[in-house]
Amino acid sequence: MNIKHILPALLTIGLLTSCEKDLLETVPNDRISSDIFWKTEKDATLASNGLYPSLDGVNIFAIDGVTDIAHVNQVFQVESNIEKGIHDALNSRPQTEWTSAYRGIRLANDFLGNIGTVETTNTAFIARLKGEARTLRAYQYIKLVAMFGDVPLVTTSIGIDEGRALKRTPSAQIWDFVLKELTEAANDLPAVQTEKGRVTKGAALALKARAALYAGRYQEAADAAKAVIESKTYSIYPSYANLFSYAAENNSEVILDKQFIKDTYSNNVFANMGPYSQRTANNTYVPTKALVDAYPMANGKEITDPTSGFDPKNPYANRDPRLRASIFVVGDDLPDGKKFDSRPTSGTADAVGNTYLATSTGFVLKKYINKEDLATGGNCGINLILLRYAEVLLTYAEAKIELNQIDASVYDAINQVRQRADVKLPALETGLTQAQLREAVRKERTLELAFEGLRLYDIRRWKIAEKVMVGDVYGMTYVDGAQLKTIQIASFTRVFDPAKHYLWPIPQKERELNPELTQNAGW
């Protein structure tokens, strides 16, 4: 049974009405009174279910959408200003992420503050649910620190007055808290949950590895990732092409996902990210030439290598299979059975320039775009993967490389990702230097995890954003007559100021509500 099948019950719980003699004492109809809740194990389970909707959903595409691998397709979207480096503390994307994360934290704090009143002798059950809540709260803090740096660390339920007096906690202290929380939570969580979608021991440890990597605490990152690897609970799913399909939901590689169900608790990934020609889809964030060109040939050689066999007139032939598994390119089959052709001269609905809603780069995301959602693009039931085993392997490898603890296990971790059954890139050449391996693992993260909501954090912690997030934005190269032409986004230049843009500004609304919140440098 999946947790997504339980969520509808939580969302539709009714209320007991008051006695007729107390007609003037009305009961809110949008919540359950604590006087009648927090009594039974069922109450605890329902409350725990209510924590999961705060996990990231389609916003992961917006987070990747403001990096070098993507482009905000309509220039009037607020995220476009982030690309151009002209956003400020009023931009709604940082505000949305801040609000969503702290909502999840508040729910977890309320849960942890109340679960002790549940009447049960099943201490393992309570410990498990507390472990889930602590892990989900840590998930939010990892995001917040990666986005904003120092943020208020709130670990209990607080009132309005307390909220208006919160100060920012140094990020090092938050990393200490997160790593400790995840370590302790893992001890109370099972390796496998009966209900798919619930947090497991592996999820807590994998998040610990991610947090430690982001914090630059490489030994802790390597150790946590190694614990996940040695648990033998997860494995690389053999088909990258099918990894993001309905048929592959809850597969051996998924460590944490957000579960959805069509018609009841759905998402709009198809409408948000699919090709414009597919009815309700509108390509909100589109892949760039920088990403597409990064995929090597199937023989492992870069397309810039004159011996690679790359043909600029047939640019998608014999490439890393993850390219066509991740991105719609000219000639691919669309969900409606037609061929994708975004060339400006194609005359199709997807042609660059056909409409401002069609892709501006000539590329469209293919991950999560399933034919099952063609008729109802705004009502999708596909689960969105937030953490998978491939990331753990790459985290382990990167941490070991940064520690200069290079051994066979580092090569093995990277090669497991490169040599997935339907990818089969050549194994890395042995004897590489630390710098060469660093480049290799970063490249694998870029390609393997594209559009999974991690790229923004990667280019920030690697301090490469001022190199990759500047200048013009380019799209596909295509043959027009006898000439090769490359799409360039008109009148659009990316700007990244390393003095300020490595952190988002603390949202202005939050600072108006709480004058104690200081602003990040440069904002």
Side-chain angles (χ1 to χ4, degrees), residues 79-363:
E79 293 85 3
S80 180
N81 288 339
I82 299 177
E83 264 197 284
K84 292 182 286 188
I86 59 174
H87 56 299
D88 56 25
L90 294 173
N91 190 282
S92 63
R93 175 48 57 187
Q95 177 69 71
T96 296
E97 298 300 334
W98 177 287
T99 300
S100 176
Y102 272 110
R103 180 179 185 276
I105 290 166
R106 177 179 59 80
L107 290 171
N109 287 340
D110 289 346
F111 178 90
L112 292 168
N114 285 289
I115 193 172
T117 65
V118 171
E119 300 169 0
T120 179
T121 59
N122 190 347
T123 56
F125 167 77
I126 297 299
R128 173 176 65 81
L129 293 187
K130 289 173 69 175
E132 292 179 33
R134 294 171 77 180
T135 301
L136 293 171
R137 181 174 61 182
Y139 176 95
Q140 303 295 351
Y141 275 118
I142 293 170
K143 279 184 50 185
L144 284 168
V145 176
M147 289 177 173
F148 300 100
D150 301 347
V151 295
L153 177 61
V154 187
T155 60
T156 60
S157 298
I158 60 174
I160 294 176
D161 290 340
E162 292 172 287
R164 288 175 174 165
L166 290 172
K167 297 181 184 295
R168 297 172 69 184
T169 304
S171 57
Q173 290 182 221
I174 300 177
W175 288 131
D176 289 342
F177 170 79
V178 165
L179 295 172
K180 182 174 183 290
E181 283 286 284
L182 291 171
T183 300
E184 295 177 357
N187 291 331
D188 292 325
L189 290 166
V192 178
Q193 292 269 26
T194 301
E195 296 167 356
K196 297 294 185 181
R198 286 196 175 278
V199 168
T200 61
K201 179 187 290 289
L205 290 173
L207 280 174
K208 180 182 177 182
R210 178 189 287 180
L213 188 71
Y214 288 6
R217 302 181 184 185
Y218 298 120
Q219 191 61 61
E220 287 184 82
D223 291 345
K226 185 178 181 181
V228 177
I229 294 168
E230 291 185 341
S231 74
K232 307 293 185 183
T233 305
Y234 308 98
S235 61
I236 291 292
Y237 186 68
S239 175
Y240 193 87
N242 295 325
L243 184 58
F244 307 94
S245 68
Y246 282 96
E249 286 189 332
N250 304 308
N251 69 70
S252 63
E253 188 167 338
V254 177
I255 298 177
L256 178 67
D257 62 1
K258 187 170 186 177
Q259 303 240 330
F260 293 91
I261 183 168
K262 190 184 292 286
D263 297 325
T264 305
Y265 187 71
S266 61
N267 63 61
N268 65 346
V269 61
F270 193 104
N272 200 36
M273 299 298 295
Y276 172 71
S277 63
Q278 304 302 286
R279 304 187 185 185
T280 58
N282 62 11
N283 326 275
T284 307
Y285 310 98
V286 291
T288 59
K289 177 179 175 64
L291 174 59
V292 172
D293 286 357
Y295 289 94
M297 300 297 289
N299 59 21
K301 296 182 179 181
E302 301 299 319
I303 65 171
T304 53
D305 184 336
T307 68
S308 69
F310 175 69
D311 179 0
K313 292 185 178 181
N314 190 16
Y316 313 119
N318 302 315
R319 299 286 293 278
D320 178 340
R322 290 175 296 185
L323 167 57
R324 299 187 86 145
S326 302
I327 299 169
F328 281 106
V329 297
V330 173
D332 283 350
D333 292 329
L334 288 162
D336 67 359
K338 298 178 181 177
K339 294 291 184 180
F340 178 75
D341 192 348
S342 56
R343 294 173 301 162
T345 57
S346 70
T348 69
D350 291 315
V352 173
N354 172 55
T355 166
Y356 72 94
L357 293 174
T359 172
S360 55
T361 64
F363 304 119

